[in-house]
Every structure is written in structure tokens, then in C-alpha cells.
Amino acid sequence: MSAFERLGARLWAERARGELAAFGERGDEPQRSGPLTLLTPQELQVVRLAADGRTNKEIAAQLFLSPRTVGHHLYKAYPKLGVTGRAELAHLDR
């Protein structure tokens, strides 16, 4: 990731960070605290993208998942975060 950043390839660095996070790797990411620590790496990625306003279909395309899998991750993440729907994700302290 840092090699991509040194080369100015910010999007590739973000992509590499996302791929590593899907496997549970934390890399150079700062330590998380709060309810987000209860999420799996994949749930965290999905929640962050949903909180930014992306649809399940858009999230699925970006993460190479099916929209149904994205929905499953959100379904599992909501109770962990204490929210009942997608709109509340935008108000979380990320």
C-alpha cells in the first residue's frame, strides 16, 4: 500500500487496503474503537460504503460480492451497531 501511495496511486492504495481488510489484515490503518470493533472486516467495509450512500448493488460491484451478500453483511452489522436501518449508518462515528 505504501508503495502505491509513494507513487501517487491513491486509488490503488485504497483498493489494496480494502483487499487486505477483507482478509482481516489491519495494515497501517489506525486502531478502531467503539461499536465498529465488533464488526468483521467485510462487514466494516460494507457498512462504510453504505454509510456513504452507496446502494447494495454499487457496494457489491466495488467489493466483488453479490448484492445479496452485501445485504447479509448489513443485516448482521445492524444489531452490532445498535441501528435499525441504513439511514442511521450515516450518523455513526466512523
Side-chain angles (χ1 to χ4, degrees), residues 18-86:
E19 292 294 322
L20 289 171
F23 288 102
E25 181 68 34
R26 298 282 185 246
D28 56 357
E29 201 173 282
Q31 285 293 73
R32 299 180 288 145
S33 63
L36 294 177
T37 60
L38 302 172
L39 302 178
T40 66
Q42 193 77 64
E43 288 170 349
L44 180 61
Q45 278 190 302
V46 169
V47 164
R48 284 182 173 161
L49 293 171
D52 288 340
R54 290 184 175 87
T55 66
N56 285 10
K57 190 173 181 179
E58 292 168 335
I59 295 168
Q62 184 170 343
L63 299 179
F64 303 102
L65 301 170
S66 74
R68 192 173 171 144
T69 300
V70 170
H72 174 75
H73 286 306
L74 288 171
Y75 173 80
K76 298 297 275 182
Y78 289 165
K80 293 178 184 179
L81 298 172
V83 300
T84 57
R86 182 181 221 101

Side-chain angles (χ1 to χ4, degrees), residues 1-5 9-19:
M1 289 176 299
S2 60
F4 288 132
E5 290 169 347
R10 185 181 55 80
L11 293 176
W12 281 100
E14 288 176 17
R15 178 79 175 258
R17 200 172 288 111
E19 292 294 322

